[in-house]
Amino acid sequence: MTSGVLTFDGVRAYYGDALIVDGLSFEVAEGESFALCGPNGVGKTTSLNAMFGIASLRGGSIAVDGHVLGRRKAHEAARRGAALVPQGRWILPGLTVEENLLLGQASRRKGPWDMAAVFKMFPDLRERRRSPGDNLSGGQQQMLAIGRALLANPRILLLDEPSEGLAPVIIDRLGDSLSRLKDNGTSMLLIEQRLDLVTRLADRFCVMVKGKPVAQGRIEETPVETLKDLVGV
């Protein structure tokens, strides 16, 4: 057993024979927002994929809510309470907004999030509930992806590049929504390129370069210019 809502301990993750993540360790505490940062292609998304069996975990361990995940159990992370908001959103065409949302209940976890709570958080989705999910704007699709994940009643919300492809005004709205979730005690792991969103939402951070963690710290104790230098922006 391990502490923390999410714990990576010396994780080594591969695609085929290629080592992508090498020795990644961090812990997300209850109610904390943690950012995994770094340039494109350094292994951030692969770290998440190792949780769900998409990338091969061949070293170290990953635990959700104190339970170490089995390396060949692709759905175990979701059952334990990790809900993914994937890069690119993965809205299923041909399904309505409401039908896309209902997919989030597949884990059958109990908790405070139901359809009414999601519609209260994202009123746009209520208004478009009968519309095809892939007909929404980019910002509305991101709301849909987050709402779907919340309906899994997660112990931790995993957000992979949530601002990707969105206009600045929509990113501000997204930041407002995620700030409300944080204020409500939702634990989050944020993979994000935009440092303004990272500094707004995250309590702590880890920077990756070439698959390895190179720096960790608290956002409030780290000057923005230092973060920029570490991330390479």
Side-chain angles (χ1 to χ4, degrees):
M1 300 288 284
T2 62
S3 60
V5 180
L6 178 65
T7 303
F8 275 58
D9 185 7
V11 165
R12 291 167 60 87
Y14 289 73
Y15 289 130
D17 293 328
L19 175 62
I20 307 299
V21 177
D22 187 7
L24 179 60
S25 297
F26 65 86
E27 183 173 283
V28 184
E30 180 83 30
E32 184 178 40
S33 179
F34 189 95
L36 193 57
C37 309
N40 287 327
V42 300
K44 303 185 302 296
T45 296
T46 303
S47 303
L48 295 185
N49 287 345
M51 297 179 62
F52 297 95
I54 301 169
S56 177
L57 177 62
R58 300 186 195 170
S61 65
I62 302 173
V64 177
D65 205 18
H67 299 272
V68 176
L69 302 179
R71 297 188 182 184
R72 293 182 175 85
K73 298 180 180 178
H75 304 292
E76 187 177 3
R79 289 198 303 270
R80 293 298 185 186
L84 176 63
V85 181
Q87 186 176 17
R89 298 181 274 276
W90 297 2
I91 303 305
L92 294 185
L95 298 184
T96 66
V97 166
E98 190 165 25
E99 289 166 340
N100 267 281
L101 285 170
L102 286 171
L103 295 174
Q105 296 180 334
S107 67
R108 301 184 183 276
R109 290 178 55 82
K110 304 299 182 183
W113 288 102
D114 56 16
M115 196 70 73
V118 168
F119 285 154
K120 183 177 180 179
M121 171 66 69
F122 300 116
D124 287 6
L125 299 183
R126 180 192 293 112
E127 296 172 8
R128 303 292 303 276
R129 62 191 299 172
R130 306 298 184 195
S131 301
D134 55 344
N135 281 2
L136 302 183
S137 68
Q140 290 170 333
Q141 287 190 23
Q142 190 60 272
M143 295 175 195
L144 178 53
I146 295 171
R148 182 178 58 197
L150 291 173
L151 278 172
N153 280 293
R155 291 287 289 129
I156 185 164
L157 193 63
L158 313 171
L159 298 131
D160 192 358
E161 302 285 0
S163 74
E164 183 179 63
L166 301 182
V169 65
I170 303 302
I171 294 172
D172 286 342
R173 288 186 61 191
L174 174 66
D176 290 342
S177 298
L178 295 178
S179 291
R180 290 199 300 274
L181 289 175
K182 178 181 177 180
D183 291 344
N184 287 338
T186 303
S187 304
M188 292 187 282
L189 175 62
L190 175 68
I191 292 178
E192 181 55 59
Q193 293 290 321
R194 291 186 63 103
L195 288 184
D196 55 342
L197 200 57
V198 168
T199 55
R200 178 179 180 182
L201 295 172
D203 300 300
R204 293 188 299 123
F205 70 91
C206 173
V207 176
M208 295 179 68
V209 175
K210 295 182 179 179
K212 296 177 179 289
V214 297
Q216 295 197 32
R218 296 195 61 82
I219 290 291
E220 64 183 13
E221 298 171 355
T222 307
V224 173
E225 292 304 317
T226 299
L227 272 176
K228 288 181 179 179
D229 289 342
L230 288 168
V231 176
V233 295

